[in-house]
Amino acid sequence: MIGYRIDSVKGLFFDRKAVQNAADRATRRVLSRFGAFVRRGARSSIRKRKKPSEPGRPPSSHTGLLKRFIFFGYEPRRRSVVIGPVRLNQMVGDAPAALEHGGTSRVVTGSRRRGRRVRSVTIRPRPFMGPAFEREMPKLPAKWANSVK
């Protein structure tokens, strides 16, 4: 390093702002694509039909809401992607989590005229997000190849 000026040597280090910005852009791009592929896989596994699915198989979507409200988002602070169904404007129950892992959920039955009742139902697991994630996970390292430009 003798004979070099500090300014010329600074450009050789990886902590330069341009390198960090390029790595951040690549991370956001790769994880966003990963989230999009997992979302697409989860959506395509859900069938719209009237009868319920068998336990252990992806759920049936009777109204299409479950399939339509699966989203993903990149979280810059943690440099991660969050993928999954959003909770709709219901005051009771947590159906997406109960479908994925099994458990109990509260449902509202009845109409406004006759009176609504809230009851608890047990749901056996019908995973759809986990299998979609596992199908895309082996492809993730290939998405990182040549991603930083």
Side-chain angles (χ1 to χ4, degrees), residues 64-84:
L65 288 176
L66 178 64
K67 197 173 191 174
R68 217 173 337 166
F69 284 96
I70 297 175
F71 296 113
F72 74 94
Y74 177 71
E75 191 175 344
R77 183 176 291 158
R78 292 187 179 177
R79 294 184 181 168
S80 64
V81 66
V82 179
I83 317 159

Side-chain angles (χ1 to χ4, degrees), residues 112-126:
R112 287 185 182 179
R113 260 188 223 165
R114 292 186 218 155
R116 292 186 174 177
R117 288 187 12 215
V118 176
R119 62 186 177 105
S120 184
V121 295
T122 302
I123 301 172
R124 295 197 306 218
R126 288 164 170 84

Side-chain angles (χ1 to χ4, degrees), residues 4-147:
Y4 288 104
R5 293 185 52 121
I6 294 291
D7 294 337
S8 63
V9 176
K10 269 187 177 179
L12 301 175
F13 292 102
F14 283 108
D15 62 347
R16 301 282 298 178
K17 192 68 175 168
V19 174
Q20 290 175 346
N21 288 341
D24 287 343
R25 274 193 311 274
T27 300
R28 184 175 53 249
R29 185 172 42 247
V30 167
L31 290 180
S32 292
R33 285 181 182 162
F34 177 74
F37 283 122
V38 171
R39 176 183 65 177
R40 185 185 64 188
R43 280 182 173 176
S44 65
S45 70
I46 298 170
R47 292 176 47 191
K48 188 172 181 191
R49 60 182 175 177
K50 293 193 187 286
K51 70 177 194 170
S53 66
E54 300 169 10
R57 308 282 304 178
S60 297
S61 179
H62 307 291
T63 62
L65 288 176
L66 178 64
K67 197 173 191 174
R68 217 173 337 166
F69 284 96
I70 297 175
F71 296 113
F72 74 94
Y74 177 71
E75 191 175 344
R77 183 176 291 158
R78 292 187 179 177
R79 294 184 181 168
S80 64
V81 66
V82 179
I83 317 159
V86 294
R87 186 171 180 200
L88 298 176
N89 196 15
Q90 297 291 326
M91 294 186 196
V92 297
D94 194 15
L99 283 171
E100 183 72 26
H101 306 290
T104 59
S105 182
R106 294 173 55 195
V107 296
V108 178
T109 57
S111 65
R112 287 185 182 179
R113 260 188 223 165
R114 292 186 218 155
R116 292 186 174 177
R117 288 187 12 215
V118 176
R119 62 186 177 105
S120 184
V121 295
T122 302
I123 301 172
R124 295 197 306 218
R126 288 164 170 84
F128 59 103
M129 292 304 302
F133 181 83
E134 293 300 323
R135 279 193 302 272
E136 289 299 321
M137 199 60 180
K139 302 173 191 173
L140 186 59
K143 292 182 189 342
W144 283 105
N146 300 322
S147 64

